[in-house]
Amino acid sequence: MARRRMNQREAPPRAGDMPTVPIQVHRASTSFDSPSTEIRQPRVSGPWVQGTRRAITQGFGAWTRFSTKLVRKWGWYPKVEPYAGYGTDDYARLVCRTVMAPGGSRSGELMRGIRGMLAVPAAGVRVKIEIDGVPVNQVQIGVSEVYDPYDSSRKTSSQYAMSDSAGYLDLVAERGNTPGIHLVSYQVARRRRVTSELFVVPAGAKVGIITDVDDTIMVTQAPSPVKAAYNLLLLNPKKRSTVPGMSALFTRLADMMPDAPFFYLSTSPWNVESSIRNFIAEQGYPAGPLLLRDLDPRPKTFIPSGVEHKLEFAEQLMEDFPDMKFILIGDDGQKDPVTYATIARRHPGRVLAIAIRELSPHESSALAEVAGLTATQPMPVTDVPVFTGTTGANIMKTMLPYLRNELGIK
């Protein structure tokens, strides 16, 4: 897939006749939302955990109600934050969020993470969606989300989709799309249309790349909670550092396999999507959808672990593209080695290669080193070839020759 800047543009509402054949969509019911029992990690569900969940849920609800009333007094009203989606021959997955914002606010603005984390969700907002100018009709069947009860007052079929109580819309549009990049537009009352890109993967693509973001392509120092929090929330997004050599590695992979899609996987919340998206574009990485997570404490997984989050998304991509093999790229600072080995074991023959970037000592957790613990994770034994290195250049030297030979590329 050709590299291209992932941007979101404001556009004025259009006049004139609309297409008469709408696209039907439904709420997502894939393994993003209902992963198999294999993916679930063991959880302690004693009274203390249940009480903590209840307290956080109630606290989140109280904060949302208070902040919503406050910003409404300031004259704020809903806007849409659209996120890049991806599609197959059969459907397209669309994700966006409605949040409260002042009148002059623009979607997709580059901001510090702390501002994104404090975004006030706009619940139950009607969103008009189009794919390449063709309107999307939303059909609600059963519950709208796992924690939102069915609302009988909503129409069973409508030209609008309705955001959930956390402001999210996660829909599957039942429409075949031609390979390439398409434009999805979102509009709410009193706002101009906003757009995002939809990456439709070619049917003939035989290889896809699933890559971690944190400390794999972007330096976040995730093993150190204090440093990671500062980099995520307070650091100027324009000052974020790229991991040496990784942009060159990704460019070479894109040149070798022009049809290969890139899926960027991060345990960061959707609130900081604009920051990561701009980083990918500015540093010259191949364009592709971001697969982030929701830290709202109400969804099914409460606050899923990084391992579970990555397993769920990988599982879904394996289902979406059954004829595709994947290259998995991550780092040893969290649990990517274990996660990727698990994916390879559950899907024999589907993982072509694994690349693990080794963190330097100053990127690892100083607390772990003082305590005599291992700051990084070793790679478990697996049948899939594993390539390691501290930089993208190190990995490139060993992995690219293997891929050329394996794929028959001269």
Side-chain angles (χ1 to χ4, degrees):
M1 186 174 294
R3 285 184 293 142
R4 172 175 168 177
R5 290 177 62 86
M6 291 188 294
N7 55 3
Q8 295 164 324
R9 305 179 294 278
E10 299 279 353
R14 293 176 298 172
D17 294 335
M18 298 297 294
T20 57
V21 182
I23 302 169
Q24 297 298 319
V25 304
H26 57 81
R27 293 282 175 172
S29 57
T30 59
S31 62
F32 284 123
D33 309 289
S34 53
S36 65
T37 54
E38 282 186 337
I39 296 177
R40 293 293 185 196
Q41 303 298 308
R43 281 192 174 82
V44 179
S45 56
W48 185 88
V49 173
Q50 294 177 359
T52 302
R53 291 185 179 186
R54 189 177 302 111
I56 294 178
T57 299
Q58 292 174 352
F60 182 86
W63 175 83
T64 300
R65 291 190 295 272
F66 170 78
S67 59
T68 301
K69 290 181 180 179
L70 180 62
V71 297
R72 285 189 184 279
K73 291 181 179 179
W74 295 347
W76 292 18
Y77 51 95
K79 75 169 182 179
V80 180
E81 288 290 351
Y83 306 129
Y86 73 89
T88 68
D89 292 338
D90 301 319
Y91 76 84
R93 192 175 186 91
L94 311 177
V95 183
C96 70
R97 192 185 189 194
T98 55
V99 297
M100 302 296 291
S105 177
R106 296 173 62 87
S107 297
E109 288 183 307
L110 184 61
M111 64 180 71
R112 281 181 167 83
I114 188 65
R115 287 184 56 195
M117 295 297 290
L118 294 177
V120 179
V125 176
R126 297 198 307 175
V127 184
K128 191 172 185 178
I129 308 173
E130 297 178 4
I131 301 178
D132 293 333
V134 181
V136 164
N137 271 12
Q138 189 261 333
V139 179
Q140 183 181 358
I141 304 174
V143 296
S144 63
E145 290 292 345
V146 290
Y147 48 86
D148 284 348
Y150 175 70
D151 186 352
S152 61
S153 66
R154 298 182 186 178
K155 296 178 180 180
T156 56
S157 180
S158 172
Q159 62 178 316
Y160 297 95
M162 190 81 73
S163 63
D164 65 25
S165 56
Y168 287 99
L169 260 174
D170 190 352
L171 303 173
V172 173
E174 298 173 341
R175 179 201 187 193
N177 298 284
T178 57
I181 301 176
H182 297 256
L183 202 63
V184 183
S185 68
Y186 301 87
Q187 186 174 11
V188 296
R190 304 173 62 187
R191 298 281 185 181
R192 298 163 69 88
R193 287 187 306 114
V194 295
T195 61
S196 65
E197 292 172 325
L198 172 66
F199 295 85
V200 178
V201 180
K206 298 301 182 183
V207 180
I209 293 92
I210 300 176
T211 176
D212 180 40
V213 171
D214 311 299
D215 290 317
T216 298
I217 66 171
M218 179 173 65
V219 176
T220 59
Q221 296 179 291
S224 175
V226 175
K227 293 179 181 178
Y230 173 80
N231 290 330
L232 176 67
L233 301 176
L234 302 176
L235 183 66
N236 185 333
K238 294 182 179 180
K239 295 183 178 180
R240 290 191 167 182
S241 302
T242 184
V243 173
M246 293 304 287
S247 178
L249 170 61
F250 279 48
T251 299
R252 294 287 297 276
L253 289 173
D255 291 340
M256 285 177 56
M257 300 168 287
D259 289 337
F262 285 77
F263 300 96
Y264 293 90
L265 186 58
S266 174
T267 55
S268 297
W270 284 109
N271 309 58
V272 298
E273 186 268 352
S274 64
S275 176
I276 299 176
R277 173 174 46 79
N278 278 274
F279 172 87
I280 290 172
E282 291 294 332
Q283 298 297 330
Y285 286 96
L290 271 67
L291 308 177
L292 309 182
R293 66 172 174 174
D294 178 12
L295 289 189
D296 175 355
R298 290 169 297 169
K300 62 190 181 305
T301 55
F302 188 51
I303 298 179
S305 69
V307 172
E308 180 173 305
H309 169 73
K310 292 178 180 179
L311 286 175
E312 288 185 11
F313 275 96
E315 190 88 357
Q316 182 61 50
L317 292 173
M318 292 285 181
E319 293 180 9
D320 288 340
F321 308 104
D323 298 325
M324 184 180 290
K325 293 185 178 182
F326 289 90
I327 299 170
L328 309 180
I329 304 177
D331 63 87
D332 64 357
Q334 293 178 294
K335 295 185 179 180
D336 289 348
V338 175
T339 303
Y340 290 170
T342 302
I343 295 170
R345 186 183 72 252
R346 291 179 182 171
H347 300 275
R350 299 292 307 280
V351 178
L352 186 61
I354 296 174
I356 297 296
R357 186 238 165 182
E358 298 170 323
L359 269 62
S360 61
H362 78 274
E363 291 176 296
S364 303
S365 172
L367 181 61
E369 291 179 352
V370 171
L373 303 175
T374 302
T376 56
Q377 300 292 320
M379 185 71 203
V381 177
T382 176
D383 294 335
V384 176
V386 179
F387 303 91
T388 62
T390 56
T391 67
N394 298 146
I395 297 173
M396 194 185 313
K397 291 178 182 178
T398 54
M399 186 170 72
L400 293 191
Y402 167 79
L403 292 176
R404 288 195 188 96
N405 180 69
E406 192 73 11
L407 299 174
I409 300 175
K410 295 183 180 180

